[in-house]
Amino acid sequence: MDIQIKRAYEPADPADGCRVLVDRLWPRGRTKEQVACELWLKEIAPSTELRKWFNHDHAKWAEFQQRYRAELSAYPDVRQLLQKATEGRLTLVYGAHDQEYNQAVVLRDYLLEQKQD
């Protein structure tokens, strides 16, 4: 499976394949054309409570990953993303500034692990 992650503020590229926005909130200041996503899966993003608790605090990263993975196990949209990933490149689009500590990183790794099972 080829699953990439990309910020919503980076230009879309045909090489991105299927682009799916995986944020609960629309990226500030971006139009639909700029984000250029096939899908917007709000519900697959961390819950509002978890997002606010984490607040991109690197000290909370390990616990955030555990909590978010627990949430992901209950989301039916995971199957939809896995299906998209089997059809070609899947790019998870996110709005966070931090490119290493964000939900798209966790989601990508989670999806890759699910496919191996």
Side-chain angles (χ1 to χ4, degrees):
M1 278 194 313
D2 184 3
I3 303 174
Q4 307 294 316
I5 60 173
K6 191 171 189 178
R7 286 194 74 226
Y9 301 94
E10 296 176 49
D13 187 301
D16 292 340
C18 176
R19 292 170 51 93
V20 179
L21 181 61
V22 294
D23 276 349
R24 196 164 291 273
L25 305 173
W26 188 261
R28 186 173 294 179
R30 303 302 285 178
T31 65
K32 284 185 179 183
E33 292 76 22
Q34 291 169 319
V35 175
C37 286
E38 182 178 312
L39 292 170
W40 179 15
L41 297 179
K42 298 177 196 179
E43 295 303 316
I44 206 159
S47 64
T48 300
E49 297 78 19
L50 180 57
R51 181 178 53 83
K52 288 180 178 181
W53 171 83
F54 175 49
N55 198 30
H56 296 281
D57 179 350
H58 294 187
K60 296 178 179 177
W61 178 242
E63 188 172 349
F64 170 77
Q65 290 181 81
Q66 291 174 344
R67 288 184 183 189
Y68 183 38
R69 285 169 173 272
E71 289 184 356
L72 285 171
S73 67
Y75 291 154
D77 290 337
V78 168
R79 288 189 297 276
Q80 184 178 9
L81 286 178
L82 286 170
Q83 179 60 42
K84 292 275 184 199
T86 64
E87 296 167 1
R89 175 173 279 174
L90 173 65
T91 299
L92 306 175
V93 179
Y94 66 96
H97 291 285
D98 193 323
Q99 297 182 32
E100 292 180 55
Y101 299 92
N102 67 69
Q103 83 277 0
V105 171
V106 179
L107 178 56
R108 177 196 58 208
D109 293 348
Y110 182 85
L111 291 170
L112 290 170
E113 291 164 10
Q114 297 304 304
K115 192 58 181 174
Q116 293 172 3
D117 291 345

